[in-house]
Amino acid sequence: MRLLKTALVAGALAVLSATTIASAYAQDTKIGFIVKQPEEPWFQDEWKFADQAAKEKGFTLVKIGAEDGEKLMSAIDNLGAQGAQGFVVCTPDVKLGPGIVAKAAANNLKLMTVDDRLVGADGKPLEDVPHMGISATKIGEAVGQAIIDQMKARGWKMDEVGAIRVSYDQLPTAVDRVEGAISVLKAAGFKAENIFDAPQAKTDTEAALNAATVVLNAHADIKKWIAFGLNDEAVLGAVRASESVGIPADGMIGVGIGGAESAINEFKKPTATGFVGTVIISPKRHGYETALNMYDWIANNKEPAKLTLTAGALAKRDDYQKVRKDLGIE
Ligand code: FCA
């Protein structure tokens, strides 16, 4: 009998402590941070800075890579099942917009997007979903200007130069970035017929290399090239392609966007390559600030701004360390 009593008490205690744990657990803030390309240094940096926010505020950050729509949808369900209250996402496909919004609502999760803004069935941005992105057109213009300055410094005649537009036109921010560069090039007298589209199947270096190789082979008579695209990886692909067809570094001017490890590794090479610069954007703002915004929304009911656009700063091989430091991302 005594034994039975002890067992009952122990059982009751176990139930009690389980409930206590559960309620403490429910009070905990858990935030998801889902990215489309976890292997890309930019996204690694975003996670790193989001982690910083989590440490400071004491919430749990759940980092998930979702390379396609299916993975993304199950990641959202998973966050719901884990008792998360919200998530920040850079989606693999912006057209999934309405589906993502519905999935978040079904799981009672607050939703904020970063980098790539969701669009509706009509292709227009879903303006109700808070978003932090880069000032894509302006940053593209800075890329175009950096390329013009470099062409001038090398004494190039614009008419002899070919331009590789590494493109990913299904993503609006990618279009804005390359079109920003093109507008500045055209205004400076660069001929539209010398700009060649190199559509990449994915936003990584290999896909850009493949796309740029097609352009270079189709115009083997052109010996001087410039290249731009949505990120550093796109431009690095074009630069690698130019090297593989025998164009020397002084025959290529590539300027990327990002400034994370892909660009830094290139600048660290002992000899300069055709990748001459990058417009550094801030993974700190995109990672730390969005995570903090989401936390404030959950914990303090403070809704994030509907749209925040961040700036960039041009950096080259000789000054990138300083630019990074100035941006607080060392
Ligand atoms: C997009 C690109 C990334 C990065 C980010 C700010 O998501 O794919 O490389 O440039 O915007």
Side-chain angles (χ1 to χ4, degrees), residues 36 40 42-43 90 115-116 134 171 177 203 230-231 281:
K36 64 177 180 181
E40 191 183 306
W42 164 260
F43 294 108
C90 177
D115 305 333
D116 299 352
I134 66 166
L171 180 61
R177 297 176 197 187
T203 55
L230 98 154
N231 58 14
I281 52 179

Side-chain angles (χ1 to χ4, degrees), residues 36-37 40-43 46 90-91 114-117 132-134 168 171 173-174 177 200 203-204 230-234 257-258 281-282 286 310:
K36 64 177 180 181
Q37 261 169 285
E40 191 183 306
W42 164 260
F43 294 108
E46 269 185 351
C90 177
T91 173
V114 68
D115 305 333
D116 299 352
R117 200 175 187 196
M132 182 184 287
I134 66 166
Y168 193 71
L171 180 61
T173 181
R177 297 176 197 187
Q200 53 181 162
T203 55
D204 63 11
L230 98 154
N231 58 14
D232 288 332
E233 286 72 15
I257 295 172
I281 52 179
S282 177
H286 287 232
T310 61

